[in-house]
Amino acid sequence: MPAFASSPAPEMTRWGKPVTTTQRLPGIWRVVTPSHGGFVLSEARQAAMPEALRLDGPEYEHDVDWSLVIVAFQTEFAAAGDPLFDIELSLATSTVKSWRPERWEAYASEAVEPRQSHVRREREAFEARIGQVVVTTAYGAWADWVPSGKVGVFGYRLASVDHLARPTYADPMFKALVDKDRYDERASVISFDELDAEILP
């Protein structure tokens, strides 16, 4: 295992100026800014990231990409003696599998099943509906245009979906009514056709 030198605390990040900085390991800084935060790696640490886990830049935000750093340097983190690291590693591993399944597969040579990956499930659901009108917004009977027993929905034709399951839609917008009970039993991604939507002008 190569030895890494301590590095200066980051003075600026893509999320703004840090409010707090903590060096978790030499060259690995945990930063918090007024808007966001995550890990910032030194040049040596960034170069040492396994290719499958390495981002283009040295900043790994705290919603998802922090997990790549924990997995990459797990042996060192474990040796540092943090009694809660086992929990942190478990969370990091599940986060990588859920949100970055292709990276996990490339790193660990282990397949990620759709049930293990929120992103993969959502992406597959969107991919199966490309070209269809997909529900994007819903209104209950509290809306003056939605009768009792119905749900009012707006939707767009699904054009594409990216690797993080973020969809792209094409105009125009469609408006419809669907059966409330059927809507309540829907999957997270659902098309107008699957709901037998009654298109409104």
Side-chain angles (χ1 to χ4, degrees), residues 18-42:
V19 175
T20 64
T21 57
T22 306
Q23 193 166 211
R24 291 281 307 272
L25 289 174
I28 299 179
W29 286 89
R30 173 76 172 91
V31 305
V32 177
T33 77
S35 65
H36 209 57
F39 285 125
V40 178
L41 306 188
S42 68

Side-chain angles (χ1 to χ4, degrees), residues 11 14-15 54 94-95 159 167 173 194:
E11 295 182 1
R14 65 185 174 96
W15 312 299
R54 186 191 311 126
S94 63
T95 299
M173 182 182 72
E194 291 169 286

Side-chain angles (χ1 to χ4, degrees), residues 35-81:
S35 65
H36 209 57
F39 285 125
V40 178
L41 306 188
S42 68
E43 186 175 326
R45 283 287 183 182
Q46 174 69 355
M49 283 288 289
E51 183 178 356
L53 304 178
R54 186 191 311 126
L55 301 183
D56 291 339
E59 294 161 323
Y60 294 73
E61 53 79 32
H62 67 201
D63 288 337
V64 172
D65 291 334
W66 67 275
S67 59
L68 302 172
V69 176
I70 295 294
V71 169
F73 299 110
Q74 59 185 281
T75 301
E76 285 182 76
F77 279 113

Side-chain angles (χ1 to χ4, degrees), residues 10-147:
E11 295 182 1
M12 183 59 69
T13 74
R14 65 185 174 96
W15 312 299
K17 187 175 179 61
V19 175
T20 64
T21 57
T22 306
Q23 193 166 211
R24 291 281 307 272
L25 289 174
I28 299 179
W29 286 89
R30 173 76 172 91
V31 305
V32 177
T33 77
S35 65
H36 209 57
F39 285 125
V40 178
L41 306 188
S42 68
E43 186 175 326
R45 283 287 183 182
Q46 174 69 355
M49 283 288 289
E51 183 178 356
L53 304 178
R54 186 191 311 126
L55 301 183
D56 291 339
E59 294 161 323
Y60 294 73
E61 53 79 32
H62 67 201
D63 288 337
V64 172
D65 291 334
W66 67 275
S67 59
L68 302 172
V69 176
I70 295 294
V71 169
F73 299 110
Q74 59 185 281
T75 301
E76 285 182 76
F77 279 113
D82 184 337
L84 297 178
F85 181 69
D86 284 349
I87 296 171
E88 187 176 32
L89 178 60
S90 177
L91 178 59
T93 300
S94 63
T95 299
V96 176
K97 289 180 179 180
S98 181
W99 291 94
R100 303 291 196 190
E102 287 80 12
R103 288 185 179 275
W104 177 264
E105 289 172 337
Y107 170 74
S109 299
E110 173 188 303
V112 176
E113 301 298 327
R115 63 181 174 76
Q116 296 175 290
S117 174
H118 165 76
V119 162
R120 184 158 285 173
R121 290 193 306 273
E122 290 290 289
R123 190 173 62 221
E124 289 180 357
F126 278 119
E127 287 173 345
R129 293 165 177 83
I130 287 176
Q132 300 179 38
V133 177
V134 171
V135 173
T136 58
T137 313
Y139 294 82
W142 47 265
D144 58 11
W145 59 279
V146 179

